Every structure is written in structure tokens, then in C-alpha cells.
Amino acid sequence: EFRDGLKVGHSNYAACYATGLLLARRVLTKLGMDQDYQGVTAADGAEYHVEADGERSPFRAYLDIGLARATTGANIFGVLKGAVDGGLDIPHKCKRFPGYNAEEKSYDADAHRARIFGSHVSSWMDELEEKDQALYQRQFSAYVAAGITSEDIEGMYERVHAAIRANPQRTTVAKEG
């Protein structure tokens, strides 16, 4: 339902982050808490936890992934990060975010930021375009048709995040036919 610039790539980590951000902003707007709990205004990948600010406590939610395996960097954690950055209070640790190194027990916020803005998609586009043009055309046909290059991806997600923050409300679209 990304009407604000996300025409392709709806199933990658960056799109999942945007989905979480949209969810958080809609919930907080509906509850009248959107001004009290802004969250992170510019996604930087840094660890962030919502804290009480004002009369009302932050909206608390819990992530339940069911029987799915919790692997580091899974898209569900993109939704989690987007929702937390959007202002929801969801208890979490950054152990499952991209950029976490289990051996060193350290978290690289810049690596996570890169995933939030789709640099992994840009890199893959560049690599495929150089190595296998036929596979590139097949894998990224929707991007090519939309006129989106690897250089456009980060800006596309920045515009989507800004549009979500500007107006998270659902807009109805007239059906054709």
C-alpha cells in the first residue's frame, strides 16, 4: 500500500522497514499520540527505545513471530525496527538486526542503516548488471520498467519514509471498471 514512491521491491528488508514505520505512524495517529511519540525522524540504524514522554505512556506492542525461525537480518526484524523508529514501544535487543556480530557481540548501526535504505539491493543490481545482463533483466524487470537504477534506490526509500511521516493515513483509490 505504498502509494508514495515505492512502486517496486515490496518484499525486501527496506520495504519491511517502511511497513513497520507506516504501521507505527498510523497507530499513533489513530490514538492521538503521534505528536508525543515521534520516534526517530531520520533512520540511522542506531539502537533506539521509546521512552515515556508526557502524560501518556507510549503504545506498547510485542513481536510474536510464531514458529518462524528467528534468523539475524530476517525481514520481520525490519518491520520491528521500522515500528520502533516510528514511535512504538516494542521490547527488543539488536542481536537480530543486520549489522550485529555475534562473535564480537557488537552492533554496527551503519550496516543496519544500509539495509534500511536498500543498499543490498543496489549492490545486487550493480553486480548482476555487470556479470549477467539476462539475469539482471529478469530479476529487476520491474525496476527497469519503472526507470529505477541502483543509484535511485536510497533516495526512493528516503522519499517513502518522508511521505509516511508527512501523512500516514490510508487514502482510498477509486477502482477502475
Side-chain angles (χ1 to χ4, degrees):
E1 170 178 335
F2 295 110
R3 67 208 177 276
D4 303 309
L6 191 57
K7 308 292 184 214
V8 295
H10 297 140
S11 61
N12 60 41
Y13 191 90
C16 290
Y17 175 89
T19 300
L21 181 64
L22 180 63
L23 168 84
R25 299 314 304 158
R26 279 190 182 170
V27 166
L28 293 174
T29 299
K30 187 172 185 174
L31 296 174
M33 299 170 68
D34 55 323
Q35 296 304 314
D36 294 334
Y37 297 101
Q38 293 285 323
V40 176
T41 54
D44 58 3
E47 188 171 359
Y48 175 74
H49 296 274
V50 178
E51 296 179 11
D53 185 31
E55 295 178 14
R56 296 176 76 178
S57 294
F59 185 88
R60 175 158 281 195
Y62 296 93
L63 178 66
D64 180 0
I65 62 171
L67 296 175
R69 196 170 283 233
T71 57
T72 301
N75 286 352
I76 189 66
F77 297 112
V79 177
L80 169 68
K81 179 65 172 156
V84 169
D85 283 359
L88 295 184
D89 179 17
I90 305 173
H92 68 282
K93 295 179 180 162
C94 53
K95 287 183 176 182
R96 294 296 181 188
F97 290 151
Y100 183 77
N101 185 329
E103 292 174 3
E104 297 177 12
K105 298 194 184 312
S106 64
Y107 174 63
D108 181 4
D110 291 332
H112 195 184
R113 183 199 180 283
R115 294 284 292 211
I116 289 170
F117 287 103
S119 71
H120 60 295
V121 177
S122 300
S123 299
W124 182 234
M125 284 179 82
D126 289 338
E127 186 177 327
L128 271 185
E129 193 171 25
E130 287 177 19
K131 292 183 178 178
D132 189 349
Q133 191 64 29
L135 182 57
Y136 171 79
Q137 290 294 331
R138 194 168 51 246
Q139 184 75 32
F140 294 105
S141 60
Y143 288 79
V144 172
I148 297 170
T149 65
S150 61
E151 290 82 27
D152 301 328
I153 290 181
E154 183 171 342
M156 176 178 71
Y157 285 110
E158 287 174 351
R159 288 188 299 278
V160 168
H161 296 172
I164 288 170
R165 288 195 169 281
N167 181 17
Q169 297 303 316
R170 184 179 191 135
T171 57
T172 56
V173 179
K175 293 184 179 181
E176 294 180 23

